[in-house]
Amino acid sequence: MTRRTEWPGSDAEPAPGPGAGPDYGTGSGGGFGEGAGRRARSRSRSSGSPSSSRAEKGEPRDPVEQARNICLRLLTGTPRTRKQLADALRKREIPDEAAEEVLSRFEDVGLIDDAAFADAWVESRHHGRGLARRALVRELRTKGVDSAVIDEAIGQLDSEQEEETARELVARKLRSTRGLDRDRRLRRLAGMLARKGYGEGMALRVVRQALEEEGEDTEGLDEPF
C-alpha cells in the first residue's frame, strides 16, 4: 500500500515522486510564475531614465544647484582654488554658465579666496616641508593661482629666512651622511636642497659651511656641483 505524505497548505497533495522536476507552471501553485511577475515589475520600476534615477536619489536637476553642492562638498575641510573647483565641475559635465555663476558667487562670499589659499600654502609648505620659494611658485601655479597672487604670497619669505630654513634642513640631514667621503656628502646634501627648490649658489654655501663646522676640508668646493 502506497503511503501518502501530507504537505503544508494542501489537504491531498501527493509527495512528488522520484525524478519529478520543479513546477514551472504559472498557476497559483507555481512559484516561478509569481516570482517572475514580481521581478518583472521590479525591473520596470527600476529601469527609468538617468534623470529620474537622479531624482529618486535626491540629486538636483538644476545645474546651478548641482554645481553648488559639488563645490560645497569639495570645500568641506579642504580649501581649494577657483581653478581646482572649476576643473572638478567641468569633469562632472556642469555647463560653463552654471559653473561660472556658482564660482563667482562663492568668491563674493569668501568661500573661494585664492590669495588666502596661497598665503596658507606658503606658510605650511615652507615651515612644514622646508620648500624654497622656487618650489612654492611651481606648486601654486599647478593649482591655478594667478601669478600676481603668487608673487604677493611668496613675498612672505625673504632670502635670509629661506637660507635659515636651508641650514636647518642640512643640520637634520648631516648626521646620516657621516662616514661618507666629502664629495658624496656634498652631493647628497646639495641634492636634497635642490629637490626642495633651493638655488645652486645658496645650497653650495650652506652645505660648505655645515661641513666646515664638522672639520671637513672644503677647499675646492666653491665650484658648482
Side-chain angles (χ1 to χ4, degrees):
M1 177 176 180
T2 304
R3 182 177 180 180
R4 299 168 63 88
T5 303
E6 300 295 331
W7 293 84
S10 177
D11 294 334
E13 285 285 336
D23 182 3
Y24 291 114
T26 58
S28 60
F32 180 84
E34 183 179 355
R38 286 197 298 268
R39 288 192 291 272
R41 289 192 295 273
S42 175
R43 285 195 298 270
S44 176
R45 287 194 298 269
S46 64
S47 60
S49 65
S51 59
S52 64
S53 177
R54 287 195 297 269
E56 290 173 1
K57 295 177 181 178
E59 297 181 10
R61 297 181 183 182
D62 178 14
V64 171
E65 189 66 15
Q66 288 181 346
R68 178 179 177 275
N69 289 346
I70 291 170
C71 289
L72 287 174
R73 285 198 300 268
L74 292 174
L75 288 169
T76 301
T78 306
R80 297 177 191 269
T81 66
R82 177 173 177 136
K83 181 180 184 300
Q84 287 178 303
L85 293 173
D87 289 344
L89 294 178
R90 191 175 301 111
K91 183 177 181 181
R92 290 164 174 79
E93 300 182 349
I94 300 297
D96 291 342
E97 297 80 2
E100 180 65 26
E101 178 180 339
V102 171
L103 294 173
S104 296
R105 176 58 179 164
F106 274 36
E107 279 189 327
D108 290 343
V109 299
L111 291 175
I112 300 175
D113 189 339
D114 282 4
F117 178 94
D119 288 343
W121 188 268
V122 169
E123 176 72 15
S124 172
R125 299 289 281 175
H126 178 72
H127 293 290
R129 297 287 302 279
L131 298 186
R133 287 175 291 183
R134 184 166 58 184
L136 294 169
V137 168
R138 184 168 57 248
E139 289 187 342
L140 288 172
R141 282 177 179 167
T142 65
K143 297 184 180 301
V145 180
D146 184 76
S147 295
V149 175
I150 293 176
D151 291 342
E152 187 172 349
I154 293 299
Q156 300 178 40
L157 301 177
D158 56 30
S159 298
E160 292 183 0
Q161 184 176 358
E162 192 175 52
E163 184 164 334
E164 178 60 29
T165 301
R167 294 184 191 283
E168 294 172 359
L169 291 170
V170 170
R172 291 200 295 265
K173 185 75 173 177
L174 196 64
R175 178 178 299 178
S176 66
T177 67
R178 289 171 184 164
L180 302 176
D181 63 66
R182 186 198 65 176
D183 290 345
R184 289 184 65 187
R185 298 185 80 188
L186 171 68
R187 287 194 297 271
R188 183 166 297 185
L189 294 169
M192 178 267 296
L193 292 179
R195 288 190 295 274
K196 292 181 178 292
Y198 292 88
E200 183 178 279
M202 178 184 292
L204 180 61
R205 181 171 63 254
V206 168
V207 173
R208 177 178 180 175
Q209 291 173 353
L211 293 177
E212 285 178 347
E213 291 173 1
E214 285 209 338
E216 287 275 13
D217 179 9
T218 60
E219 184 178 356
L221 290 185
D222 292 327
E223 298 297 326
F225 53 88

